C-alpha cells in the first residue's frame, strides 16, 4: 500500500528534504545492474543506492574495500540507464577520497560524468570535511554516512552496533550536525542504537536514512539482495527478508537441469 503524500515524477535531492518536512518516509534500496534497477525503480523506490556493497554482493569480496572507481562507474551507469524516477546515489569507493580533497573531487566528477549518477555518498565526518566541501563546491550533491562505516571495518574490527558508548555517540551527533552545516543533502546512519538515531534525525533538518538504526529516522535503506533473500549467509536483526529468492531460484534451476537431462525441455512448442 502506498502512503506517499505527494507525487514525484522524478525524485531529486530537494524532494527528499521536502519529504522529511512533510513527514513522508523515504525508501531507499541498493541496485548494481540494469535489470534489477528497472524493477526497483518501477516499484516506486525513492532512492537507488549504487553501494560499494557491490564488492560483497556482486564480486564476492569479504569487504567493500577492493572495489575500484572504474567498477563503481560500470555499476552506476548500468543503473542509470534503467531508471525513470528514482534518485541515483553512488558510493565513492575506499581510497578515492580520504587522502586529498582534490582527488576526492576528481573521483566525484568521474562518477557524475561517466555514470550519469545524481549524487555521491562518502563515509565519515570531521576527518573528511575538506573532501566533502570540495565536492559540494563543484555542485555535486553529497550524502553522508556515519555509524558503522564498512570501509573502516579493519579499524572497528567487527560489524557490531556502533556508538553505544556516550563518547562515540556525542562524536556522531557532532559529525551529523557538521555534515548538515557543510551542505550534505541527506545522511545514512548504519547500525547504531534507535534512540540515538532518532535524536540525530530530530536535531537536523536534512533527511536521515537508517539501516539498523530503528524506526525514528526519516527513511530506510536495505541491500536489495538481502531483502529479497538472494543472499543467505547474512542475517542481522535489522534485516527483514521479503521473499526467499534463493530457494525459489534453486528450485527453478534444478527443475531446468532435470528437464534438460530428461529431454523434457525443449518441447515441440519451444523449437522452430
Ligand atoms: O554500500 C551499501 O550498500 C551501503 C548501505 C549499506 C547503506 O552503504
Amino acid at each position: 500500500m502506498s502512503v506517499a503524500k505527494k507525487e514525484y515524477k522524478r525524485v531529486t535531492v530537494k524532494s527528499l528534504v521536502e519529504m522529511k518536512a512533510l513527514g513522508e518516509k523515504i525508501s531507499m534500496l541498493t541496485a548494481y545492474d540494469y535489470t534489477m534497477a528497472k524493477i526497483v525503480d518501477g516499484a516506486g523506490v525513492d532512492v537507488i543506492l549504487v553501494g560499494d556493497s557491490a564488492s560483497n554482493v556482486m564480486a564476492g569480496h569479504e569487504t567493500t574495500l577492493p572495489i575500484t572507481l572504474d567498477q563503481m562507474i560500470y555499476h552506476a551507469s548500468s543503473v542509470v540507464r534503467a531508471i525513470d524516477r528514482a534518485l541515483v546515489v553512488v558510493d565513492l569507493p575506499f581510497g578515492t577520497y580520504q587522502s586529498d580533497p582534490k582527488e576526492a573531487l576528481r573521483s566525484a566528477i568521474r562518477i557524475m560524468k561517466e555514470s550519469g549518477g545524481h549524487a555521491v555518498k562518502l563515509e565519515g565526518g570531521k576527518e573528511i570535511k575538506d573532501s566533502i566541501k570540495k565536492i559540494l563546491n563543484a555542485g555535486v550533491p553529497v550524502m553522508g554516512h556515519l555509524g558503522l562505516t564498512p570501509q573502516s571495518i579493519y579499524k572497528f574490527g567487527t560489524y557490531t552496533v556502533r556508538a553505544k558508548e556516550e563518547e562515540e555517540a556525542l562524536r556522531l551527533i557532532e559529525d551529523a550536525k557538521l555534515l548538515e552545516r557543510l551542505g550534505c543533502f541527506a545522511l545514512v546512519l548504519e547500525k547504531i542504537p534507535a534512540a540515538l538515531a532518532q535524536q540525530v534525525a530530530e536535531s537536523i533538518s536534512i533527511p536521515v536514512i537508517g539501516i539498523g538504526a530503528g524506526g525514528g529516522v526519516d527513511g530506510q535503506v536495505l541491500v536489495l539482495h538481502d531483502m529479497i533473500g538472494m543472499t543467505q549467509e547474512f542475517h542481522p536483526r535489522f534485516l527483514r527478508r521479503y521473499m526467499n529468492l534463493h530457494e525459489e531460484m534453486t528450485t527453478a534451476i534444478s527443475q531446468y537441469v532435470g528437464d534438460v537431462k530428461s529431454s523434457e525441455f525443449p518441447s515441440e512448442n519451444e523449437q522452430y
Side-chain angles (χ1 to χ4, degrees):
M1 191 183 66
S2 170
V3 285
K5 299 208 161 81
K6 184 177 165 187
E7 285 296 312
Y8 292 94
K9 268 201 157 145
R10 253 207 120 117
V11 180
T12 64
V13 295
K14 282 230 164 85
S15 329
L16 299 186
V17 177
E18 195 177 65
M19 284 181 197
K20 171 161 181 154
L22 291 171
E24 174 175 347
K25 298 272 186 178
I26 297 162
S27 58
M28 172 158 141
L29 273 178
T30 61
Y32 320 105
D33 67 72
Y34 176 86
T35 306
M36 287 291 205
K38 200 140 197 81
I39 297 171
V40 173
D41 185 57
V45 164
D46 299 312
V47 184
I48 296 184
L49 172 66
V50 185
D52 58 359
S53 50
S55 178
N56 313 104
V57 177
M58 303 305 285
H61 291 296
E62 214 172 289
T63 72
T64 58
L65 275 64
I67 199 160
T68 65
L69 190 56
D70 284 336
Q71 288 164 342
M72 288 303 296
I73 289 169
Y74 168 78
H75 287 299
S77 51
S78 309
V79 167
V80 167
R81 280 192 286 275
I83 58 110
D84 288 323
R85 177 182 175 273
L87 181 82
V88 179
V89 180
V90 185
D91 267 339
L92 280 190
F94 178 67
T96 66
Y97 62 94
Q98 292 93 342
S99 58
D100 161 27
K102 281 192 187 150
E103 192 193 2
L105 178 58
R106 271 195 299 274
S107 306
I109 287 178
R110 278 203 62 202
I111 297 250
M112 301 298 282
K113 269 180 110 79
E114 296 177 39
S115 78
H118 308 136
V120 295
K121 176 164 82 59
L122 281 70
E123 296 182 6
K126 198 167 81 186
E127 68 285 4
I128 55 157
K129 80 171 187 322
D130 292 336
S131 292
I132 293 178
K133 263 202 229 165
K134 193 94 184 153
I135 296 171
L136 285 166
N137 281 342
V140 177
V142 173
M143 177 181 269
H145 184 157
L146 298 172
L148 176 63
T149 46
Q151 291 179 11
S152 308
I153 187 56
Y154 290 113
K155 184 175 100 186
F156 299 145
T158 71
Y159 286 99
T160 50
V161 180
R162 305 300 312 167
K164 275 164 70 176
E165 306 302 329
E166 196 184 354
E167 196 189 327
E168 195 182 340
L170 289 174
R171 222 177 317 127
L172 186 141
I173 295 169
E174 280 309 301
D175 274 341
K177 290 183 176 166
L178 170 69
L179 294 179
E180 178 187 36
R181 272 200 311 279
L182 290 175
C184 290
F185 71 92
L187 169 64
V188 166
L189 288 181
E190 180 163 354
K191 224 170 171 190
I192 63 166
L196 173 62
Q198 179 164 355
Q199 188 187 343
V200 172
E202 285 169 359
S203 63
I204 60 178
S205 61
I206 58 172
V208 173
I209 300 174
I211 173 163
V217 290
D218 308 304
Q220 299 293 327
V221 55
L222 285 175
V223 168
L224 174 67
H225 292 64
D226 295 334
M227 67 78 73
I228 59 177
M230 275 182 107
T231 50
Q232 285 211 306
E233 318 73 42
F234 184 60
H235 20 76
R237 187 200 297 196
F238 67 77
L239 173 61
R240 185 179 296 181
R241 285 197 204 282
Y242 284 81
M243 60 194 297
N244 189 341
L245 204 50
H246 185 278
E247 200 173 291
E248 286 190 43
M249 285 182 73
T250 305
T251 305
I253 293 166
S254 30
Q255 250 169 34
Y256 166 76
V257 171
D259 288 352
V260 170
K261 299 277 179 199
S262 65
S263 300
E264 281 288 309
F265 175 79
S267 68
E268 287 285 317
N269 295 334
E270 290 162 326
Q271 50 192 292
Y272 301 99

